[in-house]
Amino acid sequence: MLTPGADPARELAVAYRTDSRQAVAEVQLAPALDGPDPEARARPLGGSSRLFATENGDAYYHRVRFTGLQPDTAYLYRAKGADGWSEWLQFHTAAAGFKPFRFIYLGDVQDDILTLGSRTIRQAFLSTASPALVVHAGDMVSQDKTLIHDDEWGEWNQAGGFYYAQVPQLPAIGNHEYLKTWNPLEGKGRRRSPHWPLQFVLPDNGAHGVEGTSYYVDFQGVRFIVLDGTAALHLGALESQKQWLEASLRDSSARWNVVIDHQPIFTCARPKDSEVLKAAWKPVLEKYNVDLVLQGHDHCYSRLSAEAGHEAALAARAAGAVQGPVYLVSVAGSKMYRLNDRARRQPDRVAEDTQFYETVEVESQRLAVRTYTASGRLYDAFDLLRDAQGGKHLIEPVANLPAERTCDGEQGPDGLPCTALGNARG
């Protein structure tokens, strides 16, 4: 599992898992030669290792950081197991300054991970030329009490396969990456999944108290800021993240700022918005004119550009108004929720009972956001364009998008029974 450092032009990291016989982290790193002998130029690297007891037996998780890398350069690495080495895996560091790139954004996978979620993940990679990184909006797994958590993480890793090992993964933690706890003294509580810090080696630059689940990455002119909504809502980390979010945006010199959080500011499925998060974070997002807010949790699709609603957004665009943050909610997996009443009038475009992935093209003066169904069909498209004064304008460049995919009573958009659940809960 390849993850970026805070400066991915010079630092990345890998986490990998072996059986209990390989107790030491051993990796070889080499320049990406065009010939067949990278071992001749490889240098050995060590890291940290932790024995981890799972439902499937004992295993070691190993973590190795690649530091001192050259910007905009291809490298090869392989990892050691007790019976030999992995295949050579290639990655490319970010450029030191701005350079156009594209990335993939995936909402919740969560259920039927290998059976159905893998289809969306793999289609996203197959249809996106050379993605530079992948953003995950949380709930990669379900971690329900009735399931084996280690199996779920195994399915999620298999769903992405070698893509996850070669393209940096930028995950936000969801509520299902927390385990619910209870004891007679403190009552109900939550603790981070033990798989999380072993699975992902993330930058240590987050908000106080949630350094392992909040962080930022500066990638070729974009600052990606990742928040932990579950810790904000349930573990007292709301204010510290608000202050950290403001500082991270105030100090950003990036051309574009993208914020990722699992719980959406504006919900498309739940009866009420995340009022606590909205009150704390939305003013900061608007103050610093964040470009995109990428979210999950609701298991539906929503693109919202004006809190006052779609008609107000159209009128504002017609009048040449400058665009503020655009809020996206998406779902990559099979678990679906029904749209709420506000979703029929507030967002610009919605869907239910549909699996999606998004691609974002980053250019100097344009963000081109495209939403595709799991079959690869274009479903939504918009561009954010900067004018000469730095203001943004939302353009819808595709005139004839397909009809919105929604359920009609008990019938789904594919003519089959609607799978979307009536009440969104978790």
Side-chain angles (χ1 to χ4, degrees):
M1 182 65 56
L2 190 68
T3 48
D7 177 8
R10 295 173 177 84
E11 179 181 353
L12 287 92
V14 65
Y16 70 100
R17 175 168 161 165
T18 66
D19 63 29
S20 59
R21 295 175 298 152
Q22 180 69 29
V24 178
E26 294 183 61
V27 165
Q28 289 182 340
L29 179 70
L33 304 177
D34 293 322
D37 190 16
E39 188 174 3
R41 297 282 181 87
R43 58 187 175 98
L45 296 174
S48 62
S49 301
R50 176 180 164 185
L51 185 63
F52 187 56
T54 79
E55 304 94 328
N56 294 312
D58 291 348
Y60 270 99
Y61 271 93
H62 310 280
R63 296 154 53 96
V64 179
R65 293 186 183 274
F66 304 144
T67 60
L69 304 176
Q70 293 299 309
D72 204 4
T73 301
Y75 289 89
L76 297 170
Y77 75 95
R78 64 177 181 174
K80 180 75 162 55
D83 293 323
W85 293 92
S86 72
E87 70 271 42
W88 286 99
L89 298 155
Q90 184 165 309
F91 67 87
H92 200 102
T93 57
F98 176 79
K99 183 179 180 180
F101 69 98
R102 63 182 62 86
F103 68 91
I104 294 169
Y105 152 49
L106 296 169
D108 303 31
V109 178
Q110 189 170 338
D111 290 355
D112 302 315
I113 300 168
L114 191 57
T115 307
L116 294 170
S118 61
R119 173 196 176 198
T120 313
I121 295 168
R122 293 167 184 175
Q123 182 62 33
F125 279 103
L126 286 170
S127 63
T128 306
S130 302
L133 54 81
V134 182
V135 168
H136 300 272
D139 279 6
M140 283 80 79
V141 298
S142 180
Q143 296 196 153
D144 188 272
K145 294 179 182 178
T146 62
L147 299 175
I148 297 177
H149 302 165
D150 197 53
D151 280 2
E152 293 181 76
W153 281 106
E155 287 194 24
W156 188 79
N157 279 274
Q158 187 176 349
F162 69 86
Y163 293 120
Y164 287 169
Q166 297 197 165
V167 180
Q169 306 297 304
L170 201 153
I173 194 167
N175 55 295
H176 282 279
E177 277 79 58
Y178 277 89
L179 303 178
K180 293 181 179 179
T181 61
W182 184 88
N183 66 61
L185 295 178
E186 299 178 356
K188 294 181 179 179
R190 295 173 189 258
R191 66 180 177 88
R192 188 177 60 183
S193 163
H195 284 82
W196 181 268
L198 302 176
Q199 179 82 36
F200 304 112
V201 188
L202 300 171
D204 187 21
N205 57 10
H208 177 69
V210 281
E211 291 88 350
T213 53
S214 64
Y215 59 97
Y216 69 81
V217 170
D218 290 326
F219 195 101
Q220 291 184 189
V222 178
R223 172 159 286 191
F224 293 92
I225 300 174
V226 181
L227 295 163
D228 182 344
T230 304
L233 292 169
H234 302 288
L235 299 175
L238 179 69
E239 185 60 28
S240 66
Q241 289 189 83
K242 176 185 176 181
Q243 295 177 10
W244 173 79
L245 172 63
E246 178 148 18
S248 300
L249 289 168
R250 183 179 60 244
D251 297 342
S252 174
S253 58
R255 297 192 185 204
W256 305 97
N257 291 288
V258 176
V259 171
I260 305 105
D261 181 43
H262 178 62
Q263 289 86 348
I265 301 295
F266 299 101
T267 177
C268 52
R270 296 162 203 276
K272 296 182 179 180
D273 288 334
S274 304
E275 296 295 342
V276 173
L277 298 183
K278 183 192 288 187
W281 295 350
K282 178 174 169 286
V284 181
L285 301 174
E286 292 183 346
K287 177 181 178 180
Y288 292 95
N289 199 16
V290 164
D291 302 297
L292 296 175
V293 183
L294 307 180
Q295 306 149 113
H297 195 51
D298 271 8
H299 301 261
C300 50
Y301 177 74
S302 170
R303 185 243 295 178
L304 187 148
S305 58
E307 184 172 10
H310 179 45
E311 294 300 323
L314 288 175
R317 288 200 281 274
V322 172
Q323 178 65 52
V326 178
Y327 299 86
L328 292 176
V329 177
S330 190
V331 55
S334 65
K335 184 180 180 182
M336 301 292 167
Y337 288 142
R338 291 281 187 136
L339 293 168
N340 61 28
D341 292 339
R342 294 188 317 282
R344 308 294 178 174
R345 57 176 172 77
Q346 192 177 34
D348 298 336
R349 190 160 170 82
V350 295
E352 59 190 349
D353 201 21
T354 307
Q355 294 175 260
F356 291 106
Y357 64 91
E358 281 73 30
T359 66
V360 182
E361 290 274 349
V362 178
E363 300 175 0
S364 176
Q365 303 298 319
R366 182 180 77 134
L367 290 181
V369 183
R370 303 292 183 265
T371 296
Y372 297 91
T373 64
S375 67
R377 184 186 185 194
L378 180 65
Y379 184 78
D380 193 14
F382 70 95
D383 295 347
L384 287 178
L385 301 178
R386 287 204 191 278
D387 60 28
Q389 290 72 43
K392 291 175 299 184
H393 302 273
L394 191 150
I395 307 297
E396 295 178 323
V398 180
N400 297 308
L401 291 170
E404 287 191 326
R405 290 177 54 85
T406 59
C407 293
D408 182 6
E410 296 306 311
Q411 180 173 295
D414 292 320
L416 300 170
C418 180
T419 68
L421 303 174
N423 296 310
R425 293 185 299 275

